[in-house]
Amino acid sequence: MPPPESAIGQIGEFQETLLELLAQDLSLDTLQNRLHEEPAFAPFRDYVQGFEPRMLEVAALLVKKWGKRSAQGGKMTEG
Amino acid sequence: MTRPLVGLSLMLEDDFLRATYPLFESGAVDVLEWSFDTGWPPADVPKWAEELLHFYSESGRLFGHGVSYSILSAGTEDLQQTWLQLFSTEIDRRRYHHISEHFGFSSRRNFHQSAPLPVPLTSATLQLGQERLQCLAQIAKVPVGLENLAFAFSLRDVLDQGRFLDELLAPIDGFVVLDLHNLYCQAMNFERLFEDLLTGYPLPRVRELHIAGGSWSQGIDPRPVRRDTHDGPVPDELFSLLPVVLRECPKVECVILERMGGTLSESESFRRDFFRLKEVVDAAA
């Protein structure tokens, strides 16, 4: 049985919002505040509250380095 | 145990060819791993790389390792469908011994591709990933597996990953590509023993190992973060841990040395890593 559409929608919103935030030039404080404020993270509050600040910094670095918005075929990234 | 085969992950850059040509020429490379979706249009695969792919495919020693299927992206079915169509063509074109992909999500509607990131383990994310793997397995018609992820937002990601992988792979009886440097990153970043983290993985499912080097990254926090950048030599600790891993994972068929193209200015040290890897695998077997 497939997962309910509502659950898929929540995960999708979570992922979309997370990538958009990480791609912006935000300070760590601002990034953390947005993680607490954005409605997309509300269903995953416990999970997000556990994010380590230094790992958030690295996640932002990874998305800025490897993220691309156009379809140009796959490429190697950090694993 | 049967001696695992030792191979390389194919890169398309000229420095990779320069560094590895003597290895291929002497027949030292048992198997070749190819991240086939990096070669899909509009990418240009050089003739020498096509010839290597043909040789290893015909020999039954070509291993497929996708990078952009993104099994845990939610609400992006059109992206996955496009990928699966191209994958189907790939499978018709070359013969792969098995196929693997990465744990995590790496694409969204507004992001065609990024580095893979973890998702929380929930019944919905688990079902989503299981469905995506079923689609992959139906087309692949060879064993399908997933590689463990280096990056973690928190210790929870680290501790959940072994169970997550096991439950994702169970319905297709899939295998784990255990990347030793990814596990090393998690051990370093969350101050855990490598051996302790290892026991959290479904070791009977491990069929392939990856080994690589990486680098450290430091931000505001004084504690540096280890990253799987594939741009340096393999840490000595991993060569020491490899026999332990091989002992715990009796179904390992191959060990792949990974190095990012464009980072191979020192060919000799890369080749030294390769021969050291072969020696350690021979001794362990």
Side-chain angles (χ1 to χ4, degrees):
Chain A
M1 199 171 85
E5 277 187 32
S6 59
I8 292 297
Q10 286 178 347
I11 300 162
E13 278 296 306
F14 168 85
Q15 293 174 339
E16 192 85 56
T17 311
L18 182 59
L19 278 185
E20 289 294 342
L21 281 182
L22 293 172
Q24 295 174 36
D25 285 321
L26 303 176
S27 69
L28 182 58
D29 282 347
T30 306
L31 184 55
Q32 287 178 300
N33 288 338
R34 296 283 294 275
L35 286 172
H36 290 115
E37 290 163 2
E38 290 282 349
F41 301 122
F44 306 95
R45 188 65 67 208
D46 286 352
Y47 178 67
V48 171
Q49 279 177 347
F51 285 7
E52 288 209 12
R54 68 198 168 106
M55 302 311 291
L56 262 180
E57 281 188 296
V58 170
L61 197 151
L62 292 177
V63 171
K64 288 186 187 77
K65 180 174 181 182
W66 299 110
K68 58 176 186 170
R69 293 179 184 271
S70 59
Q72 298 167 341
K75 64 178 177 182
M76 296 303 297
T77 67
E78 293 182 37
Chain B
M1 73 185 289
T2 310
R3 176 194 172 278
L5 301 171
V6 176
L8 295 173
S9 167
L10 176 65
M11 297 283 117
L12 302 180
E13 287 78 4
D14 290 344
D15 64 342
F16 176 84
L17 177 61
R18 274 195 299 275
T20 60
Y21 185 79
L23 305 177
F24 285 115
E25 192 182 36
S26 65
V29 183
D30 301 327
V31 295
L32 185 66
E33 183 152 278
W34 169 227
S35 289
F36 46 83
D37 43 1
T38 67
W40 290 347
D44 186 25
V45 179
K47 187 166 175 284
W48 61 264
E50 288 284 6
E51 287 171 359
L52 277 176
L53 288 167
H54 180 75
F55 174 78
Y56 281 90
S57 171
E58 291 298 303
S59 312
R61 293 182 287 139
L62 182 62
F63 293 61
H65 189 53
V67 297
S68 58
Y69 182 47
S70 193
I71 71 150
L72 291 170
S73 287
T76 54
E77 282 69 24
D78 49 342
L79 296 179
Q80 270 77 31
Q81 280 307 316
T82 302
W83 191 95
L84 287 169
Q85 284 167 9
L86 291 164
F87 177 60
S88 182
T89 305
E90 180 73 34
I91 289 298
D92 289 341
R93 186 175 175 209
R94 295 188 182 99
R95 184 156 64 102
Y96 288 97
H97 178 75
H98 64 214
I99 295 288
S100 58
E101 247 290 349
H102 293 77
F103 173 84
F105 82 98
S106 60
S107 66
R108 293 295 315 155
R109 288 195 183 289
N110 291 331
F111 269 92
H112 181 69
Q113 195 193 350
S114 185
L117 296 174
V119 299
L121 172 53
T122 68
S123 58
T125 53
L126 186 57
Q127 275 184 273
L128 176 70
Q130 287 172 339
E131 285 177 13
R132 292 270 167 73
L133 284 172
Q134 291 277 9
C135 294
L136 186 59
Q138 279 168 13
I139 296 172
K141 297 185 180 67
V142 291
V144 164
L146 282 179
E147 178 185 337
N148 60 308
L149 181 62
F151 180 82
F153 283 111
S154 67
L155 183 60
R156 174 176 162 179
D157 284 333
V158 174
L159 298 180
D160 279 352
Q161 198 177 151
R163 182 162 66 98
F164 207 156
L165 280 171
D166 191 34
E167 294 186 17
L168 283 168
L169 293 165
I172 58 165
D173 195 19
F175 65 91
V176 171
V177 177
L178 186 66
D179 187 308
L180 303 193
H181 190 262
N182 287 357
L183 200 59
Y184 177 77
C185 288
Q186 297 200 332
M188 293 293 108
N189 294 338
F190 294 92
E191 295 169 8
R192 299 280 153 153
L193 283 176
F194 180 99
E195 294 90 332
D196 287 349
L197 293 183
L198 184 67
T199 60
Y201 279 78
L203 301 183
R205 288 195 186 280
V206 177
R207 180 179 168 127
E208 177 177 337
L209 301 179
H210 282 181
I211 193 162
S215 59
W216 295 93
S217 186
Q218 186 153 10
I220 294 171
D221 194 295
R223 291 171 299 168
V225 174
R226 181 74 182 179
R227 289 169 50 199
D228 186 47
T229 44
H230 292 191
D231 57 358
V234 176
D236 285 339
E237 297 100 299
L238 287 188
F239 282 119
S240 303
L241 286 162
L242 180 56
V244 177
V245 175
L246 287 170
R247 196 165 52 239
E248 297 296 324
C249 303
K251 292 184 182 169
V252 169
E253 295 179 359
C254 66
V255 186
I256 302 291
L257 175 63
E258 298 182 299
R259 181 71 177 253
M260 198 72 90
T263 72
L264 281 155
S265 55
E266 290 181 56
S267 299
E268 271 306 317
S269 71
F270 177 75
R271 289 194 286 266
R272 271 200 302 276
D273 269 357
F274 181 78
F275 285 118
R276 187 175 177 190
L277 176 60
K278 291 200 90 162
E279 282 170 18
V280 173
V281 169
D282 283 344

